[in-house]
Amino acid sequence: MVLSVEDDIEVVGQAADGAEALAVLARTPADVVLMDVQMPVMDGIAATAEIVARGLGKVVILTTFDREDYLFDALAAGASGFLLKNADPDDLVDAVHAVAGGHALLAPEATLRVIARLVGDHPASRREPGAPAAPTDAPTAAPGPAPADRRAIEALTPREREVLGLLARGLSNAEIAVELYLGESTVKTYVSNVLAKTASRDRVQAVVFAYRTGLAG
């Protein structure tokens, strides 16, 4: 009901579970799929992984349950968005538009958890409370980036690394353009290059890459 009244959104199908969703998408293409998590036959996480793997659409998880395992499992499965069902109707409409336009969208609560998890996994955050910081020129025992990540880092130009760092801070294309004194269309090109070189599906995945490799600053 919320989506069907929007002039530029067409609801093309509904399904009772993940398996039925795959069947519906096989015969009725869709740009965006709103996916619940707890369902019979096939749950939403498994269905999301299948939908993304088959290229059947971009997925926004829409769930009642504010659970961290659902959030991270959904992102790992390839979801482009995560919202709670108590979100305002306007937020739901905005999520469909954003994800259809190639962006990622997380509920504010979810964003905080993602950043907290990523910062917690960053080697620089693993120092015991009260322990002195290691000298900046001292060797570190933390493992370096994986070979694939290292190749991706080397492929990025200095400007693209700069853009990635600003993405990790949560800046929009318009804000990055102001920060770097660039045109917004130029920033879009840099962002596209960053996503391609880091094999990121969307901006959220690029932020994950930035924190995982220490490029988030």
Side-chain angles (χ1 to χ4, degrees):
M1 291 174 60
V2 170
L3 297 176
S4 60
V5 299
E6 297 293 318
D7 292 337
D8 56 352
I9 296 178
E10 181 184 0
V11 179
V12 297
Q14 299 181 66
D17 57 61
E20 186 180 341
L22 289 169
V24 170
L25 289 167
R27 61 177 183 267
T28 308
D31 298 307
V32 178
V33 180
L34 297 178
M35 181 68 70
D36 204 346
V37 176
Q38 289 192 353
M39 295 181 293
V41 185
M42 176 183 282
D43 66 56
I45 304 299
T48 295
E50 283 291 322
I51 289 168
V52 172
R54 299 185 195 181
L56 297 176
K58 297 172 181 176
V59 179
V60 176
I61 296 292
L62 187 62
T63 179
T64 305
F65 304 98
D66 186 11
R67 288 177 44 173
E68 191 169 291
D69 56 340
Y70 285 175
L71 168 61
F72 288 100
D73 288 348
L75 293 178
S80 296
F82 188 97
L83 285 179
L84 299 178
K85 289 184 179 178
N86 63 3
D88 290 338
D90 287 346
D91 291 337
L92 179 59
V93 173
D94 289 344
V96 172
H97 285 145
V99 171
H103 302 292
L105 187 141
L106 298 177
E109 321 83 300
T111 302
L112 292 174
R113 290 181 181 181
V114 169
I115 297 302
R117 169 75 70 88
L118 292 173
V119 171
D121 286 345
H122 194 282
S125 70
R126 296 192 187 123
R127 181 163 46 92
E128 290 295 323
T136 54
D137 59 348
T140 175
D149 286 347
R150 197 159 50 243
R151 288 192 295 271
I153 292 170
E154 292 170 355
L156 294 171
T157 66
R159 181 63 91 183
E160 288 165 355
R161 291 193 191 193
E162 213 171 355
V163 169
L164 178 57
L166 295 175
L167 284 177
R169 284 169 45 191
L171 272 64
S172 66
N173 287 354
E175 291 167 333
I176 294 173
V178 171
E179 184 83 12
L180 299 180
Y181 303 100
L182 297 171
E184 196 167 343
S185 60
T186 302
V187 172
K188 288 180 181 178
T189 300
Y190 280 127
V191 170
S192 296
N193 291 345
V194 167
L195 296 183
K197 291 182 179 181
T198 61
S200 300
R201 291 183 296 269
D202 50 46
R203 296 167 81 98
V204 170
Q205 296 296 322
V207 172
V208 170
F209 175 88
Y211 275 94
R212 186 175 70 235
T213 57
L215 294 182

Coordinates of all heavy atoms in Angstrom, one line a residue, residues 101-141:
G101 N 18.8 3.3 -7.5 CA 19.8 4.2 -8.2 C 21.2 3.7 -8.0 O 22.2 4.5 -8.3
G102 N 21.4 2.6 -7.4 CA 22.8 2.0 -7.2 C 23.5 2.4 -5.9 O 24.6 2.1 -5.7
H103 N 22.7 3.0 -5.0 CA 23.3 3.3 -3.7 C 22.9 2.2 -2.6 O 22.1 1.3 -2.9 CB 22.8 4.7 -3.2 CG 23.1 5.8 -4.2 ND1 24.3 6.2 -4.4 CD2 22.3 6.5 -5.0 CE1 24.3 7.2 -5.3 NE2 23.1 7.4 -5.7
A104 N 23.5 2.3 -1.5 CA 23.2 1.4 -0.4 C 22.5 2.3 0.7 O 22.8 3.5 0.8 CB 24.5 0.8 0.1
L105 N 21.7 1.6 1.5 CA 21.0 2.3 2.6 C 20.8 1.5 3.8 O 20.4 0.3 3.7 CB 19.6 2.8 2.1 CG 18.9 3.7 3.0 CD1 18.2 4.8 2.2 CD2 17.9 3.0 3.8
L106 N 21.2 2.0 4.9 CA 21.1 1.3 6.2 C 20.3 2.1 7.2 O 20.4 3.3 7.2 CB 22.4 0.9 6.8 CG 23.4 0.0 6.0 CD1 24.7 -0.1 6.8 CD2 22.7 -1.3 5.8
A107 N 19.5 1.5 8.0 CA 18.8 2.2 9.1 C 19.9 2.8 10.0 O 21.0 2.2 10.1 CB 18.0 1.2 9.9
P108 N 19.6 4.0 10.6 CA 20.7 4.6 11.4 C 21.2 3.7 12.5 O 22.4 3.7 12.7 CB 19.9 5.8 12.0 CG 18.8 6.1 11.0 CD 18.4 4.8 10.4
E109 N 20.4 2.9 13.1 CA 20.9 2.0 14.1 C 21.8 1.0 13.5 O 22.9 0.6 14.1 CB 19.7 1.2 14.8 CG 18.5 1.9 15.0 CD 17.5 2.0 14.0 OE1 17.7 2.6 13.0 OE2 16.3 1.5 14.2
A110 N 21.5 0.5 12.3 CA 22.4 -0.5 11.7 C 23.7 0.1 11.3 O 24.7 -0.5 11.4 CB 21.6 -1.0 10.4
T111 N 23.7 1.4 10.8 CA 24.9 2.0 10.4 C 25.9 2.1 11.6 O 27.1 1.8 11.4 CB 24.6 3.5 9.9 OG1 23.7 3.4 8.8 CG2 25.9 4.1 9.4
L112 N 25.4 2.5 12.7 CA 26.2 2.6 13.9 C 26.9 1.2 14.3 O 28.0 1.1 14.6 CB 25.4 3.1 15.1 CG 25.0 4.6 15.0 CD1 24.1 4.9 16.2 CD2 26.2 5.5 15.0
R113 N 26.1 0.2 14.1 CA 26.6 -1.2 14.4 C 27.7 -1.6 13.4 O 28.7 -2.2 13.8 CB 25.5 -2.2 14.5 CG 24.5 -2.0 15.7 CD 23.4 -3.0 15.7 NE 22.5 -2.7 16.8 CZ 21.5 -3.5 17.1 NH1 21.2 -4.5 16.3 NH2 20.7 -3.2 18.1
V114 N 27.4 -1.3 12.2 CA 28.4 -1.7 11.1 C 29.7 -1.0 11.4 O 30.8 -1.6 11.4 CB 27.9 -1.3 9.7 CG1 29.0 -1.4 8.7 CG2 26.7 -2.2 9.3
I115 N 29.7 0.4 11.7 CA 30.9 1.1 11.9 C 31.6 0.6 13.2 O 32.8 0.4 13.2 CB 30.6 2.6 12.1 CG1 30.1 3.2 10.7 CG2 31.9 3.4 12.4 CD1 31.0 3.0 9.5
A116 N 30.8 0.3 14.2 CA 31.4 -0.2 15.5 C 32.1 -1.5 15.3 O 33.2 -1.8 15.8 CB 30.3 -0.3 16.5
R117 N 31.4 -2.4 14.5 CA 32.0 -3.7 14.2 C 33.3 -3.6 13.4 O 34.3 -4.2 13.7 CB 31.0 -4.6 13.5 CG 31.6 -5.9 12.9 CD 31.9 -6.9 13.9 NE 30.6 -7.5 14.5 CZ 30.0 -8.5 13.9 NH1 30.4 -9.1 12.8 NH2 28.9 -8.9 14.5
L118 N 33.3 -2.7 12.4 CA 34.4 -2.5 11.5 C 35.6 -1.9 12.3 O 36.7 -2.3 12.1 CB 34.1 -1.6 10.3 CG 33.1 -2.3 9.3 CD1 32.7 -1.3 8.3 CD2 33.7 -3.5 8.7
V119 N 35.3 -0.9 13.1 CA 36.3 -0.3 13.9 C 36.9 -1.3 14.9 O 38.1 -1.4 15.1 CB 35.8 1.0 14.6 CG1 36.8 1.5 15.6 CG2 35.5 2.1 13.6
G120 N 36.0 -2.1 15.5 CA 36.5 -3.1 16.4 C 37.4 -4.1 15.8 O 38.2 -4.7 16.4
D121 N 37.1 -4.4 14.5 CA 38.0 -5.4 13.8 C 39.2 -4.8 13.3 O 40.1 -5.5 12.8 CB 37.2 -6.0 12.6 CG 36.1 -7.0 13.1 OD1 36.2 -7.4 14.3 OD2 35.2 -7.3 12.3
H122 N 39.4 -3.5 13.3 CA 40.5 -2.8 12.7 C 41.7 -3.1 13.7 O 41.6 -2.9 14.9 CB 40.3 -1.3 12.6 CG 41.3 -0.6 11.7 ND1 42.5 -0.3 12.2 CD2 41.2 -0.2 10.4 CE1 43.2 0.3 11.2 NE2 42.5 0.3 10.1
P123 N 42.9 -3.4 13.1 CA 44.1 -3.7 14.0 C 44.4 -2.6 15.0 O 44.8 -2.9 16.1 CB 45.2 -3.9 13.0 CG 44.5 -4.4 11.7 CD 43.2 -3.7 11.7
A124 N 44.2 -1.4 14.6 CA 44.6 -0.2 15.4 C 43.7 -0.2 16.7 O 44.1 0.5 17.6 CB 44.5 1.1 14.7
S125 N 42.5 -0.9 16.7 CA 41.6 -0.8 17.8 C 41.9 -1.9 18.8 O 41.2 -2.0 19.8 CB 40.2 -0.8 17.3 OG 39.9 -2.1 16.8
R126 N 42.8 -2.8 18.6 CA 43.0 -4.0 19.4 C 43.9 -3.8 20.6 O 44.2 -4.7 21.3 CB 43.4 -5.2 18.6 CG 42.4 -5.5 17.5 CD 42.8 -6.9 16.8 NE 41.9 -7.1 15.7 CZ 42.3 -7.3 14.5 NH1 43.5 -7.3 14.2 NH2 41.4 -7.5 13.5
R127 N 44.4 -2.5 20.8 CA 45.2 -2.3 22.0 C 44.4 -2.4 23.3 O 43.3 -1.9 23.4 CB 45.8 -0.9 21.8 CG 46.8 -0.5 22.9 CD 47.6 0.7 22.5 NE 46.8 1.7 21.8 CZ 46.3 2.8 22.5 NH1 46.4 2.9 23.8 NH2 45.6 3.7 21.9
E128 N 45.0 -3.0 24.3 CA 44.3 -3.1 25.6 C 44.1 -1.8 26.2 O 45.0 -0.9 26.0 CB 45.2 -4.0 26.5 CG 45.2 -5.5 26.1 CD 43.9 -6.1 26.2 OE1 43.1 -5.8 27.2 OE2 43.6 -7.0 25.4
P129 N 43.0 -1.6 26.9 CA 42.8 -0.3 27.6 C 44.0 0.1 28.5 O 44.4 -0.8 29.3 CB 41.5 -0.5 28.3 CG 40.8 -1.6 27.6 CD 41.9 -2.5 27.1
G130 N 44.4 1.3 28.4 CA 45.5 1.7 29.3 C 46.9 1.4 28.8 O 47.9 1.9 29.3
A131 N 47.0 0.6 27.7 CA 48.3 0.2 27.2 C 48.8 1.3 26.3 O 48.1 2.0 25.6 CB 48.2 -1.1 26.4
P132 N 50.1 1.6 26.4 CA 50.7 2.7 25.5 C 50.6 2.3 24.0 O 50.7 1.1 23.7 CB 52.1 2.8 26.0 CG 52.4 1.4 26.5 CD 51.2 0.9 27.2
A133 N 50.4 3.3 23.2 CA 50.4 3.1 21.8 C 51.8 2.7 21.3 O 52.8 3.3 21.8 CB 49.9 4.3 21.1
A134 N 51.9 1.9 20.3 CA 53.2 1.5 19.8 C 53.7 2.7 19.0 O 53.0 3.5 18.4 CB 53.0 0.3 18.8
P135 N 55.0 2.9 19.0 CA 55.6 4.0 18.2 C 55.2 3.8 16.7 O 55.1 2.7 16.2 CB 57.2 3.8 18.3 CG 57.3 3.0 19.6 CD 56.1 2.1 19.7
T136 N 55.1 4.9 16.0 CA 54.6 4.9 14.7 C 55.5 4.2 13.7 O 55.1 3.6 12.7 CB 54.3 6.3 14.1 OG1 55.5 7.1 14.3 CG2 53.2 7.0 14.9
D137 N 56.8 4.1 14.1 CA 57.8 3.5 13.2 C 58.1 2.0 13.6 O 59.0 1.4 13.1 CB 59.1 4.3 13.1 CG 59.7 4.5 14.4 OD1 59.1 4.2 15.5 OD2 60.9 4.9 14.4
A138 N 57.4 1.6 14.7 CA 57.6 0.2 15.2 C 56.9 -0.8 14.3 O 55.8 -0.5 13.8 CB 57.2 0.1 16.6
P139 N 57.5 -2.0 14.1 CA 56.8 -3.0 13.3 C 55.6 -3.5 14.1 O 55.5 -3.5 15.3 CB 57.8 -4.1 13.2 CG 58.8 -3.9 14.4 CD 58.8 -2.4 14.6
T140 N 54.5 -3.9 13.3 CA 53.3 -4.3 13.9 C 53.1 -5.8 13.7 O 53.5 -6.3 12.6 CB 52.1 -3.5 13.4 OG1 50.9 -4.1 13.9 CG2 52.0 -3.6 11.9
A141 N 52.5 -6.4 14.6 CA 52.3 -7.9 14.5 C 51.0 -8.2 13.7 O 50.7 -9.3 13.4 CB 52.2 -8.6 15.8

